[in-house]
Amino acid sequence: MTKSDRPIPAKIEQRLMELLKMKEFDMQEVNWCRSTYWARRDDWHLILVACHNAALARTAAESGEVRP
C-alpha cells in the first residue's frame, strides 16, 4: 500500500464530510484533499498551527485580553 492508497485519518475524513454537508467543499475538493493528504501532511500541520494561532489572537482580542 502506497501513501496515496492509505486512507486519511478518521478525524480528517469526518471533517471533510462536515464541510461537504455544509456545502463549504464540493466533492471534487474533498477528493483533492484525500488524494493530497499524505504527500502534503506537513503543510496541513503548518496550516492548522497558523489557524490555531490566529484563532487564539482573535479570541483574545474579542475578550479584551492583551497578548504579547
Side-chain angles (χ1 to χ4, degrees), residues 15-38:
R15 183 63 179 143
L16 289 173
M17 291 299 98
E18 290 169 358
L19 291 166
L20 184 65
K21 186 176 180 180
M22 294 185 300
K23 300 184 190 242
E24 296 288 329
F25 282 14
D26 64 18
M27 201 61 212
Q28 182 177 347
E29 292 157 340
V30 167
N31 287 332
W32 181 83
C33 288
R34 286 177 181 149
S35 68
T36 61
Y37 176 80
W38 290 112

Side-chain angles (χ1 to χ4, degrees), residues 45-61 67-68:
H45 179 73
L46 293 173
I47 290 166
L48 289 173
V49 169
C51 288
H52 180 256
N53 290 339
L56 288 176
R58 177 182 46 80
T59 55
R67 291 197 180 235

